[in-house]
Amino acid sequence: MKEFDLKNYGLIGKFLGHSMSKYIHGDLWGYDYKLQNLNESELDYFLKEKNFKGLNVTIPYKEKVIKYLDKLNDLAEDIGAVNTIKNNNGKLEGYNTDYYGFDYMLKEANISYDDKKVLILGSGGASKMVQKYCKDKDAKEIIVISRTGENNYENLDKFKDFDAIVNASPVGMYPKNLESKIDIDLFTKLDSVVDLIYNPLKTKLLLDAESKNIKIASGLDMLVSQAFYSAEIFFDKKLDQAIIEKTCKLLEREIMNITFVGMPGSGKTRMASLLAKDLGKKLIDIDREIEKKEKLNIEDIFKYKGEKYFRKIESQVLLDFSKEKGQIISTGGGSILSEINRHAIRQNSFVMFLNRPVEKLSRRKRPLSKDLESLKNMYEKRISYYKEVSDIEIDVEESISKTYEKIKRELIKHEIISD
Ligand code: NAP
């Protein structure tokens, strides 16, 4: 707290370990921005001392800060939650820019709640903002699902004809990735699913919806745009909206893993290690990580413990690594066989399928690639999963450098890496 002075901006909350706000406001946008963990008694002291220029507020203080404010803007008052405080010559003013961030996020995803039945998961601060937004945008019906409420996770079937779901709960958030309390199949008319969570980029709820071709939106756009609207309040001026998109792209590039999938011997590890070196990113070879964990090589794991055991460990290792950020990941050829693995791969990754003719696949030290016939059968069984899990498919060339050039061209084209 001593580090703050009247020129500083910052974020207050209780658990700020994984916050990206300092990176956005401080590193990317260039003003003095600090993260300040506070317990309840420190909150009182901090807000009475007013030794800051502007603040963002997060869990669990968005409602608790209100009593310290000299002025509350109408929107924040209606919502009952504040995420932005400006110190205007000793007078604290409260605002809610999450609302505008939510609006930006929906517009980017082409989602509207006009005349729609909207189901909101969770009843906390973010949920209140979403409820107000849905009312303002003329939603036909708004239902809040709360663990302890009349409408809860046990009677979701009452709402199976709803058009939209918004997750305003922390379910599925890092480090408890791939959790969800919702079975998307229950809903017969779903048009959109929105998740306020931004870590991972796609929660299980979003991945389930995406696989059914339902429109989705993830919390990163909201995170950046609410920060942008806070900055407009801090500096009392209109800023260029293009900053939002530019910042989202930058963050996505930082966060996103690039993951290679494909048959054993298709060149995944080679390409991943070239790319990791080139981009200065961490290389994760899932098979090597399994070997480290088991202290046995892959062939021996298959030989002594069997494929079922191998698949179990593979899944654990994949789940552990795929939720982290900014890595180049080479997966094992069979990792795409289970849905949970496919979700793990997709949650934070741009996924590239290296497709190589079966007769060209290397068979050296690969326990399941015994002969050409078994490889062909394996390819037939797996091809639809490789296609399903990947963002793009690369036909592997004879020459390593040609394949690598192709990969880089595609990554630049899809704006995953810069030119
Ligand atoms: P919150 O005040 O802690 O409320 C979350 C609500 O979720 C709780 O009131 C609770 O409602 C429900 N909940 C909590 N734990 C749960 C669990 N284990 N299972 C099921 N439901 C649970 O948090 P918040 O400020 O509203 O934020 C909610 C989420 O939105 C968080 O993940 C946050 O990171 C995200 N968020 C993102 C942005 C962004 O910029 N992208 C901005 C704001 C918030 P019930 O007790 O009624 O079930």
Side-chain angles (χ1 to χ4, degrees):
M1 276 196 273
K2 287 189 197 95
E3 284 174 31
F4 268 80
D5 67 39
L6 278 168
K7 290 197 290 294
N8 289 148
Y9 299 89
L11 172 68
I12 57 169
K14 212 167 191 174
F15 314 101
L16 303 180
H18 290 278
S19 169
M20 298 216 281
S21 293
K22 185 171 162 36
Y23 183 65
I24 296 171
H25 291 272
D27 299 353
L28 296 180
W29 296 350
Y31 41 92
D32 197 346
Y33 195 95
K34 294 180 165 52
L35 298 182
Q36 183 65 60
N37 277 297
L38 296 172
N39 61 37
E40 307 251 338
S41 59
E42 290 169 328
L43 178 77
D44 187 71
Y45 173 77
F46 192 81
L47 290 176
K48 283 181 177 158
E49 203 190 34
K50 304 180 184 179
N51 203 14
F52 51 80
K53 185 85 186 112
L55 291 179
N56 290 118
V57 183
T58 189
I59 300 171
Y61 298 133
K62 285 185 183 180
E63 287 137 327
K64 292 196 173 89
V65 297
I66 292 178
K67 67 176 185 202
Y68 297 94
L69 303 174
D70 300 290
K71 198 174 141 197
L72 187 58
N73 101 324
D74 290 347
L75 178 65
E77 186 167 5
D78 283 353
I79 295 169
V82 160
N83 80 322
T84 305
I85 297 175
K86 181 172 176 167
N87 185 353
N88 204 350
N89 297 316
K91 300 273 181 227
L92 298 189
E93 300 172 356
Y95 302 85
N96 189 307
T97 67
D98 282 339
Y99 183 95
Y100 299 109
F102 188 66
D103 181 58
Y104 178 93
M105 168 197 200
L106 294 193
K107 286 187 174 142
E108 280 298 293
N110 201 17
I111 294 170
S112 147
Y113 293 151
D114 183 13
D115 206 29
K116 295 280 164 67
K117 294 183 174 186
V118 187
L119 204 59
I120 304 170
L121 312 180
S123 65
S127 168
K128 285 185 188 143
M129 177 278 292
V130 177
Q131 290 168 47
K132 159 89 176 130
Y133 182 89
C134 292
K135 271 182 216 139
D136 291 351
K137 300 292 171 187
D138 299 322
K140 190 195 242 168
E141 198 175 340
I142 304 160
I143 293 289
V144 174
I145 301 296
S146 167
R147 289 166 300 177
T148 51
E150 180 195 342
N151 298 317
N152 54 58
Y153 296 92
E154 305 305 315
N155 57 25
L156 286 171
D157 55 331
K158 288 200 293 185
F159 311 109
K160 58 184 175 205
D161 66 335
F162 269 50
D163 305 289
I165 296 177
V166 182
N167 181 31
S169 85
V171 178
M173 185 164 77
Y174 182 95
K176 294 186 173 176
N177 299 43
L178 300 183
E179 284 187 4
S180 168
K181 284 185 145 65
I182 300 291
D183 176 6
I184 287 283
D185 289 334
L186 186 69
F187 299 90
T188 51
K189 293 187 180 163
L190 263 189
D191 165 64
S192 70
V193 177
V194 170
D195 204 322
L196 268 49
I197 290 171
Y198 54 85
N199 183 9
L201 293 171
K202 286 179 188 166
T203 56
K204 172 158 169 33
L205 180 66
L206 291 189
L207 291 162
D208 285 342
E210 187 182 52
S211 70
K212 301 220 163 296
N213 290 323
I214 293 165
K215 276 189 270 184
I216 60 167
S218 149
L220 191 71
D221 277 351
M222 177 174 163
L223 175 77
V224 174
S225 48
Q226 61 78 23
F228 172 87
Y229 296 119
S230 292
E232 287 197 329
I233 291 169
F234 292 156
F235 302 113
D236 201 15
K237 65 174 179 192
K238 282 271 160 218
L239 300 168
D240 181 1
Q241 281 247 1
I243 295 171
I244 303 178
E245 205 183 322
K246 226 167 119 185
T247 306
C248 286
K249 235 350 4 111
L250 261 165
L251 278 178
E252 243 175 49
R253 279 186 195 160
E254 291 277 326
I255 296 169
M256 230 187 230
N257 299 314
I258 298 170
T259 298
F260 289 92
V261 299
M263 288 286 281
S266 58
K268 301 180 295 283
T269 303
R270 187 63 177 266
M271 291 302 135
S273 56
L274 284 173
L275 193 63
K277 206 167 165 200
D278 211 354
L279 301 179
K281 297 208 171 197
K282 193 170 170 191
L283 170 71
I284 303 294
D285 181 340
I286 295 295
D287 278 353
R288 295 297 80 74
E289 297 300 330
I290 295 169
E291 290 180 336
K292 271 192 233 165
K293 186 176 163 80
E294 290 296 296
K295 299 187 178 67
L296 273 180
N297 67 38
I298 301 287
E299 273 179 302
D300 286 343
I301 300 174
F302 269 82
K303 191 162 146 198
Y304 299 117
K305 302 196 168 182
E307 182 172 356
K308 201 168 161 204
Y309 178 85
F310 172 81
R311 295 284 173 225
K312 193 176 99 192
I313 303 299
E314 179 183 50
S315 209
Q316 285 168 6
V317 171
L318 196 57
L319 260 61
D320 279 349
F321 282 98
S322 61
K323 64 181 167 193
E324 302 303 333
K325 307 181 216 165
Q327 316 161 108
I328 311 296
I329 303 176
S330 169
T331 59
S335 59
I336 41 69
L337 289 168
S338 78
E339 188 183 45
I340 184 149
N341 289 3
R342 294 196 292 279
H343 277 359
I345 289 170
R346 283 202 63 74
Q347 63 180 329
N348 265 341
S349 276
F350 184 78
V351 187
M352 305 186 96
F353 166 33
L354 294 189
N355 198 0
R356 190 176 200 183
V358 175
E359 48 291 346
K360 300 261 169 66
L361 293 171
S362 157
R363 277 181 257 159
R364 218 168 51 84
K365 287 189 168 180
R366 300 183 198 269
L368 296 178
S369 309
K370 293 179 205 85
D371 52 59
L372 192 56
E373 209 44 45
S374 47
L375 260 185
K376 277 184 179 159
N377 287 336
M378 192 195 279
Y379 182 79
E380 288 310 317
K381 263 193 218 147
R382 293 180 180 180
I383 179 78
S384 62
Y385 293 127
Y386 290 134
K387 286 182 185 280
E388 178 195 317
V389 80
S390 57
D391 292 289
I392 57 163
E393 185 173 333
I394 301 279
D395 285 324
V396 175
E397 302 283 337
E398 277 303 305
S399 120
I400 288 175
S401 62
K402 268 195 182 157
T403 308
Y404 185 64
E405 276 163 30
K406 219 175 182 179
I407 286 171
K408 280 201 73 176
R409 269 202 309 279
E410 286 296 325
L411 288 171
I412 292 166
K413 191 173 110 195
H414 287 82
E415 298 186 26
I416 305 300
I417 61 174
S418 55
D419 207 343

